[in-house]
Amino acid sequence: MYSQIGESDTALQYYNQALDIQRKRRDLLAQAKIMSHIGSLYGKLGKHQQALEVLNKALKIQQSKGTLVDQGLTIQDIAGVHDSLGNYPQAIEQYKKAKLLFHQAGWTTLESQSIGLIVSIYRNFLGDNQEALKYTDEALQLQRQAGDKEDEAYTLNQQADIYLLQGDYQLALDSYNQALTIERSITKNPRAEAQTLANIAFLYNLLGDTNSSIKTYTQALDIYKKLDYQVGQAKVFRSIGSVYQLNRRDKEALESYNQALSLHRKQNDNRSEIATLWGIAKTHRSRKDYDKAFDTANQALALSQQYEYSFNITASLGIIGSIYFAKNDYQNALNSYKNILVDYRKAGLRIKEAETLNTMSIAYEFQKQHQQAISTLNDELKLRQDLKDRTGEAQALYQIAVNQRNLGKLEAALSNIQTTINIVESIRGNVQSDELRTSYFATVQSYYKFYIDLLMQLHKKDPAKVCEFNIQDLKIKDKCDAVALHISERARARSLVELLKAGNVNLRKDVDPQLLAEERRLQNKLTLQETRLSDLLSQKGSSTELINKTNQEIINIIQESQKLTAKIRATNPERAELTDPEDILQLPGIQQQLDKDTILLQYSLGEKRSYLWVVTPNSLESYELPGQEKIVEAAKHLNSLLQPKQSLLIQGGTLEDNAQTFANTEKAADALSQLILNDVAGKLGNKRLVIVADGILHQVSFAALNEPRKSPTSNEYQPLVVNHEIVNLPSISSIATHRKKLKTRDVAPKTLVVLANPVFSADDTRLKNDKPSSVENNLDRSALETLRNTNQVLEPLPGTQAEGEAILELVNSPNNKLSAFGLDANYNFATSKQLRQYRYLLFATHGIFNTVNPALSGIVLSLVDKQGKPQTRSFLRLNDIFNLDLPAELIVLSACESGRGEDVQGEGLVGLTRGFMYAGAARVTVSLWKVNDKSTKELMIAFYKQILEQNKSPAAALNFAQRQMWQRKDLQNPAWKHPRYWAAFTLQGEWR
């Protein structure tokens, strides 16, 4: 009792009296039990050595006389003392002993508790998330065997928290959703459900989806209000305040924080009150109202000192330090952080110590005290290495390299950034999932950009200097700009290279049959849910909640399939081949991919400087370009003129309007050309240009850029397409891998397939139906949401049928061509095995890109059947495309923005193109913006004529068709001369 109310000295007196009594009675087990209580109390009082001494005496008795459970509980207390001392390896060793004893005794609940404590140390102190996850898996197995659903949901939340720390957001969401299902349908625990919803809301905010975050927090809040659980309400109000504060919605943040503050004070919840004051202080800080920020932070500090909350005192000082930092008062910020550092070291909070050292180093860097920053980072580095925190180690090494460069110590910086890259490559190689490798790689692109910049600066100082790069068994030694080119290759489209290579590897070789059976089960389950969704959408008055739930189930199945694929790859003996570092080409390998008529232009955009490498089969030249801010500004301006929101702007304009539009576009095309091509003026000849873009340049049509001026006085606009075939690649290494795949595939025997002009509504005049239904009733819900989010309308495409019919006329033999128009342009046709018999495929329909779930992107097919009823499947998703077998020479996606994709750092545009390349296409032609169907018909007929009648390569044929649009005098509409009408189409893939 005295121990529970905080009167520790009195409690010890009574424990010792009880111990004397039991000694007189010679009851050893009772003595051991009392000693365990005394030891536990010493531990809470910080008297760690006394605690260990007493607990070990108790354990010695229990080992000879007591039960396994008694021993386990005492060992668990011993582990807790080591935990408090920061002796984490010893703590884990003791927790494992306790876990084993509980297991032998058959106490699943206590065994799970020990596992939870082990997880906590690995996660919070040692920073070993992989070990933590291993133990959560073990806990889940125990809980599932015992049928303990409540503990299972708790562990799933714990598992999700670890994924969150790692940045594995999708896996975190999956685990949270599993917990949510248990809490809603099995344990029916609304309080736990609300907590899980709050966790999901926090994740949404990390992903940048503020609206979903607030919406989900509000759901949790509603549950707490129904339960009249004010503690939960206050926490949610504080969390909502944090979302608003991080998104600079300061007024709403303060309103939410003040609601939380009122509830916390009403409940006398001092710790939560302090945390809310921190949030209010941060909000005032972001408003630059530093006086109020200091005042609120000092209130939190005073409250922490009043109640002797040591951690809160330290954290409050951290908030004060951050306010000084925001004011650019780095010296006072450093003074605060130095005090904090002492406290964290006393408490043994090594992760917090490392974080504080990192912040201090930034303050030193901002004050140009680079040597002091390096010294501080070296202290952090040692901690990160002790903690086995490889991500933190890489970040510290990177920051050391940055400071070394600022001191002019380029060679030292080079060594540290190379070590950083090796760590990153190692971490990436151990991630099984394609999606997770991509998301992780996007977070470390700054390291590669820095490395490239450093190598290029060394090259600038001494063009003859030789640099080295070593990774695993790969050793590169070449001129610094050549090594920089290799690093540029390493930093881009890695997932695509591995994806294309996977096409040559039997990923299901020697795989556990149970995994393959699970794969089939998921596919059947997906088909069932797709059919169910179609039925729901076709029935009047269907529950919106049920529709949304079914659609979410489809998304969950797709995500589960992705995880299963990763598991299949992980168990495959050929998996290592997919991440071979030698797949990323060096200069000689890059040059081997080129021919005498081809020049590679490879870009890397950086904050201060950007770079261009110009590569031929026997030469390499490199150039420094302006920082990306200037390039982005010029590219966006050009795109705004080429990609207008109103597609009829030119066609409906006056001659004066058109002339002005031409002039503005030419000026913008020249401005961007001057920034990114000026250095190669007069050096390109009439060569084919292979463009490996970066950043915003992925969205630029190089065909429309002005030929770089040979003379400063020249001001005539001549688009690049006049003298050059233009091919786009995500990386040059990707074409090397793709060519290996193309060598082994079958050659399709037949010529042409055209799919065009699908039916998007039962209101379509091509249907004879008395019961019309809207697009909304027929379109997959996920596709519909994508349309709404992008303000895209599914307009009929009658021009595409005329286009397709005209192109089909170019093939004489009926046996060599196949078409599907209107209702026949459906999912069954698009996925038919007969398509693999054809070399050229044209899909003329709408493309949709889903920014939230790229796997749901795809092309829209006929939404209804001949009776006007919804098709079971009406949307060829990206995951469907990956499962196709299309050994085509060319696939053309003609219509809306089929070249769009998610611009993922380190990957480029992740969209439909790579899906069709994986399916077997040698090359894909797509559009970068919404195109006019009449001008596109003109372009496409010319394009296919060159391929089918003149036997030109698709790259040469596209060049001819675009050049003809620019140069012809007899166009149906003179406005079509403008690049807007022909420059949208780009060719990606093989140019030979």
Side-chain angles (χ1 to χ4, degrees):
M1 176 67 74
Y2 284 111
S3 174
Q4 291 174 354
I5 63 175
E7 295 187 19
S8 303
D9 292 337
T10 306
L12 279 172
Q13 287 177 12
Y14 280 107
Y15 274 138
N16 282 315
Q17 288 177 30
L19 186 60
D20 287 340
I21 293 170
Q22 297 302 342
R23 280 172 176 159
K24 288 175 182 175
R25 296 175 60 187
R26 297 184 179 179
D27 188 338
L28 292 176
L29 284 177
Q31 291 175 43
K33 188 172 183 179
I34 294 168
M35 282 191 281
S36 292
H37 289 309
I38 292 171
S40 177
L41 188 53
Y42 276 141
K44 290 174 185 176
L45 291 171
K47 299 178 179 180
H48 299 119
Q49 293 308 317
Q50 289 168 276
L52 287 172
E53 186 180 331
V54 174
L55 287 169
N56 278 310
K57 285 180 180 177
L59 180 62
K60 191 173 181 181
I61 294 170
Q62 290 165 338
Q63 285 172 333
S64 61
K65 302 277 186 179
T67 66
L68 294 174
V69 171
D70 287 338
Q71 293 173 48
L73 290 170
T74 301
I75 290 172
Q76 199 157 271
D77 285 339
I78 292 169
V81 177
H82 285 299
D83 193 344
S84 299
L85 285 167
N87 299 329
Y88 299 119
Q90 293 96 318
I92 282 181
E93 184 184 344
Q94 297 299 323
Y95 280 134
K96 286 179 179 177
K97 287 180 182 177
K99 169 184 168 297
L100 180 61
L101 289 167
F102 295 142
H103 177 76
Q104 290 171 347
W107 277 62
T108 304
T109 302
L110 289 173
E111 185 180 357
S112 294
Q113 185 185 84
S114 291
I115 293 172
L117 293 164
I118 291 169
V119 168
S120 178
I121 291 177
Y122 276 128
R123 184 186 71 184
N124 297 327
F125 300 103
L126 296 180
D128 193 338
N129 290 326
Q130 294 308 309
E131 278 297 302
L133 285 172
K134 187 179 87 174
Y135 279 100
T136 59
D137 286 341
E138 187 176 341
L140 286 170
Q141 187 177 355
L142 275 174
Q143 290 151 359
R144 284 164 181 164
Q145 286 173 353
D148 189 344
K149 291 295 180 182
E150 198 154 321
D151 278 355
E152 180 184 347
Y154 173 81
T155 303
L156 283 166
N157 267 286
Q158 195 177 36
Q159 184 184 65
D161 291 343
I162 298 166
Y163 287 139
L164 203 66
L165 286 171
Q166 293 184 151
D168 293 338
Y169 299 131
Q170 186 55 59
L171 291 177
L173 189 58
D174 290 344
S175 293
Y176 284 139
N177 279 324
Q178 288 179 53
L180 199 61
T181 300
I182 292 170
E183 290 155 353
R184 282 176 169 169
S185 60
I186 301 174
T187 61
K188 293 183 170 53
N189 185 339
R191 188 181 289 188
E193 176 190 347
Q195 180 56 57
T196 302
L197 283 168
N199 291 339
I200 292 171
F202 179 75
L203 172 57
Y204 283 144
N205 190 48
L206 281 181
L207 292 168
D209 191 346
T210 305
N211 291 334
S212 293
S213 179
I214 297 295
K215 181 180 175 183
T216 310
Y217 272 130
T218 303
Q219 290 176 25
L221 187 62
D222 289 342
I223 293 172
Y224 284 140
K225 284 179 177 176
K226 284 179 185 176
L227 297 171
D228 195 26
Y229 183 51
Q230 293 190 349
V231 172
Q233 291 175 44
K235 286 181 179 176
V236 172
F237 275 127
R238 189 171 80 236
S239 297
I240 291 173
S242 177
V243 174
Y244 284 135
Q245 184 258 319
L246 289 170
N247 286 279
R248 300 297 177 90
R249 293 164 64 172
D250 297 331
K251 183 180 177 184
E252 293 156 298
L254 289 173
E255 287 174 359
S256 295
Y257 280 137
N258 283 321
Q259 284 178 290
L261 196 62
S262 174
L263 286 168
H264 288 318
R265 284 172 173 166
K266 185 177 176 183
Q267 297 145 18
N268 294 317
D269 186 348
N270 301 312
R271 288 184 188 274
S272 296
E273 180 182 349
I274 292 165
T276 306
L277 288 168
W278 293 337
I280 294 171
K282 289 177 184 177
T283 308
H284 289 310
R285 182 190 66 196
S286 66
R287 298 177 80 183
K288 300 189 186 224
D289 191 343
Y290 299 122
D291 289 339
K292 282 187 179 178
F294 277 125
D295 180 59
T296 311
N298 280 314
Q299 286 181 48
L301 178 61
L303 205 56
S304 303
Q305 290 168 335
Q306 180 183 339
Y307 292 100
E308 299 181 355
Y309 297 150
S310 58
F311 176 83
N312 295 66
I313 291 170
T314 305
S316 296
L317 289 169
I319 298 292
I320 291 168
S322 75
I323 300 166
Y324 282 125
F325 202 104
K327 285 184 69 179
N328 299 326
D329 185 350
Y330 300 124
Q331 193 53 56
N332 274 316
L334 281 167
N335 291 339
S336 293
Y337 288 128
K338 285 174 182 176
N339 292 330
I340 292 165
L341 194 62
V342 171
D343 291 340
Y344 283 146
R345 282 172 172 164
K346 281 182 182 175
L349 297 172
R350 304 177 79 200
I351 291 176
K352 288 292 181 184
E353 180 186 349
E355 290 171 356
T356 304
L357 286 166
N358 187 273
T359 307
M360 289 173 65
S361 77
I362 297 170
Y364 285 127
E365 182 186 346
F366 284 175
Q367 293 185 100
K368 301 193 184 304
Q369 296 180 33
H370 299 299
Q371 194 56 56
Q372 185 62 48
I374 291 169
S375 176
T376 305
L377 285 163
N378 278 322
D379 289 343
E380 181 200 352
L381 181 63
K382 187 174 185 308
L383 274 172
R384 298 290 187 187
Q385 290 168 337
D386 289 346
L387 292 166
K388 295 181 172 55
D389 178 1
R390 302 213 75 201
T391 301
E393 181 183 353
Q395 176 67 20
L397 283 164
Y398 163 66
Q399 289 177 246
I400 289 169
V402 169
N403 281 281
Q404 287 170 330
R405 181 192 62 182
N406 292 337
L407 288 171
K409 298 177 179 179
L410 302 188
E411 295 289 348
L414 198 64
S415 173
N416 282 312
I417 194 61
Q418 181 171 138
T419 306
T420 299
I421 297 298
N422 272 274
I423 292 171
V424 165
E425 295 273 350
S426 172
I427 292 171
R428 184 185 180 280
N430 290 328
V431 177
Q432 297 171 6
S433 161
D434 295 332
E435 294 78 17
L436 296 180
R437 275 202 304 274
T438 299
S439 63
Y440 169 72
F441 207 48
T443 66
V444 295
Q445 283 299 297
S446 58
Y447 302 163
Y448 288 85
K449 294 287 187 183
F450 176 84
Y451 195 7
I452 290 166
D453 184 68
L454 194 60
L455 287 163
M456 293 303 291
Q457 290 303 298
L458 285 165
H459 174 73
K460 186 177 181 179
K461 283 180 68 176
D462 179 5
K465 182 176 175 57
V466 172
C467 292
E468 294 185 28
F469 173 70
N470 303 318
I471 181 168
Q472 297 178 26
D473 296 328
L474 180 65
K475 299 186 186 302
I476 299 173
K477 194 171 183 179
D478 208 333
K479 289 183 179 178
C480 294
D481 62 340
V483 178
L485 175 61
H486 174 75
I487 299 302
S488 172
E489 275 293 293
R490 296 200 77 81
R492 67 178 78 230
R494 294 284 293 282
S495 291
L496 176 58
V497 172
E498 290 155 6
L499 188 66
L500 293 173
K501 191 170 183 181
N504 291 330
V505 175
N506 180 8
L507 292 175
R508 282 148 184 78
K509 179 181 177 182
D510 300 328
V511 171
D512 185 345
Q514 288 186 348
L515 292 178
L516 298 179
E518 176 65 7
E519 187 177 43
R520 290 191 295 272
R521 185 189 72 80
L522 286 173
Q523 188 56 51
N524 292 335
K525 190 176 176 183
L526 179 62
T527 302
L528 182 66
Q529 291 298 328
E530 291 273 13
T531 305
R532 185 184 184 197
L533 179 62
S534 186
D535 289 342
L536 286 169
L537 293 172
S538 65
Q539 296 169 14
K540 225 174 183 181
S542 292
S543 162
T544 302
E545 184 180 352
L546 193 55
I547 289 170
N548 290 337
K549 185 177 179 183
T550 306
N551 189 58
Q552 183 59 48
E553 181 64 23
I554 289 170
I555 293 171
N556 291 343
I557 294 168
I558 289 173
Q559 291 166 347
E560 199 175 342
S561 296
Q562 291 170 342
K563 287 198 289 186
L564 183 65
T565 299
K567 191 179 288 187
I568 289 171
R569 287 187 180 184
T571 60
N572 189 283
E574 298 183 48
R575 177 181 178 270
E577 294 182 19
L578 300 182
T579 53
D580 186 345
E582 294 196 15
D583 288 332
I584 310 304
L585 298 180
Q586 302 173 48
L587 178 59
I590 291 171
Q591 291 174 320
Q592 286 173 16
Q593 300 305 313
L594 306 174
D595 52 66
K596 64 182 178 60
D597 297 317
T598 303
I599 295 176
L600 168 66
L601 303 180
Q602 181 148 325
Y603 290 89
S604 176
L605 304 189
E607 185 179 350
K608 294 181 180 178
R609 293 171 288 269
S610 301
Y611 296 99
L612 165 63
W613 294 270
V614 180
V615 189
T616 72
N618 50 29
S619 69
L620 166 66
E621 294 182 11
S622 55
Y623 303 93
E624 185 177 307
L625 305 178
Q628 64 181 353
E629 186 177 348
K630 283 187 178 181
I631 294 172
V632 167
E633 183 182 357
K636 283 184 175 179
H637 180 51
L638 174 61
N639 284 345
S640 71
L641 294 165
L642 291 173
Q643 307 173 23
K645 293 181 181 177
Q646 295 181 359
S647 59
L648 297 178
L649 185 61
I650 285 184
Q651 290 188 181
T654 65
L655 290 173
E656 292 79 9
D657 290 337
N658 286 342
Q660 188 59 52
T661 303
F662 269 98
N664 291 342
T665 305
E666 290 173 4
K667 186 177 178 182
D670 184 62
L672 181 56
S673 181
Q674 288 294 304
L675 288 174
I676 66 174
L677 290 170
N678 191 53
D679 290 311
V680 294
K683 300 178 181 179
L684 301 179
N686 294 320
K687 304 285 189 181
R688 178 186 301 110
L689 304 181
V690 173
I691 310 295
V692 176
D694 189 26
I696 188 74
L697 296 182
H698 285 293
Q699 302 168 33
V700 168
S701 170
F702 275 72
L705 293 185
N706 196 18
E707 183 80 31
R709 298 179 189 174
K710 296 178 185 177
S711 165
T713 59
S714 171
N715 58 9
E716 182 184 354
Y717 172 65
Q718 179 178 290
L720 275 181
V721 75
V722 172
N723 290 325
H724 310 281
E725 290 177 27
I726 296 173
V727 177
N728 294 82
L729 292 177
S731 76
I732 195 70
S733 297
S734 67
I735 194 63
T737 305
H738 197 38
R739 282 172 172 168
K740 291 177 184 176
K741 179 178 179 178
L742 295 178
K743 282 181 181 178
T744 62
R745 65 168 195 175
D746 298 329
V747 177
K750 298 183 180 181
T751 306
L752 178 65
V753 172
V754 174
L755 179 153
N757 195 21
V759 177
F760 300 131
S761 170
D763 297 331
D764 196 293
T765 55
R766 288 170 285 180
L767 285 171
K768 293 180 180 178
N769 183 25
D770 296 330
K771 297 180 180 179
S773 58
S774 67
V775 169
E776 287 203 17
N777 286 334
N778 298 296
L779 184 61
D780 287 353
R781 197 74 179 183
S782 56
L784 179 60
E785 289 304 315
T786 301
L787 288 170
R788 284 176 175 161
N789 292 339
T790 58
N791 296 317
Q792 188 173 338
V793 178
L794 288 181
E795 299 170 349
L797 298 169
T800 63
Q801 182 158 343
E803 171 192 326
E805 289 170 343
I807 292 168
L808 286 163
E809 287 297 317
L810 301 173
V811 180
N812 294 323
S813 171
N815 294 329
N816 277 332
K817 57 186 175 183
L818 185 66
S819 63
F821 300 116
L823 294 166
D824 294 327
N826 55 38
Y827 181 86
N828 289 336
F829 180 86
T831 56
S832 168
K833 289 185 178 180
Q834 63 180 329
L835 266 60
R836 75 178 310 277
Q837 299 294 313
Y838 294 84
R839 295 189 297 279
Y840 303 103
L841 277 67
L842 169 61
F843 292 93
T845 182
H846 290 290
I848 294 178
F849 182 71
N850 189 311
T851 55
V852 179
N853 291 292
L856 300 182
S857 302
I859 57 177
V860 186
L861 303 166
S862 193
L863 303 179
V864 294
D865 62 17
K866 292 178 181 178
Q867 286 74 44
K869 293 180 181 178
Q871 296 274 11
T872 301
R873 300 290 297 273
S874 53
F875 193 60
L876 189 67
R877 302 183 196 272
L878 188 55
N879 66 307
D880 293 319
I881 295 168
F882 276 112
N883 289 322
L884 296 177
D885 179 16
L886 298 174
E889 290 302 310
L890 172 70
I891 294 177
V892 176
L893 306 180
S894 167
C896 300
E897 303 172 293
S898 51
R900 281 190 68 209
E902 183 183 15
D903 191 359
V904 178
Q905 289 194 63
E907 280 298 318
L909 293 181
V910 177
L912 303 181
T913 305
R914 63 178 53 198
F916 281 111
M917 289 178 73
Y918 180 79
R923 53 193 72 77
V924 182
T925 294
V926 293
S927 64
L928 292 175
W929 57 83
K930 188 174 181 179
V931 290
N932 175 278
D933 58 352
K934 291 181 181 178
S935 61
T936 298
K937 175 186 173 184
E938 191 90 11
L939 176 75
M940 283 293 156
I941 291 172
F943 177 42
Y944 276 98
K945 269 188 178 181
Q946 292 297 304
I947 295 172
L948 299 174
E949 294 182 353
Q950 303 300 320
N951 290 322
K952 285 190 177 179
S953 71
L958 182 61
N959 171 260
F960 177 89
Q962 291 180 322
R963 189 158 31 92
Q964 188 181 56
M965 294 288 283
W966 167 253
Q967 294 174 334
R968 270 179 59 185
K969 307 295 184 185
D970 60 343
L971 288 172
Q972 180 183 335
N973 187 325
W976 293 352
K977 177 183 174 74
H978 191 283
R980 178 184 309 168
Y981 290 93
W982 51 263
F985 288 98
T986 66
L987 187 137
Q988 301 186 34
E990 178 62 87
W991 63 82
R992 294 173 181 169

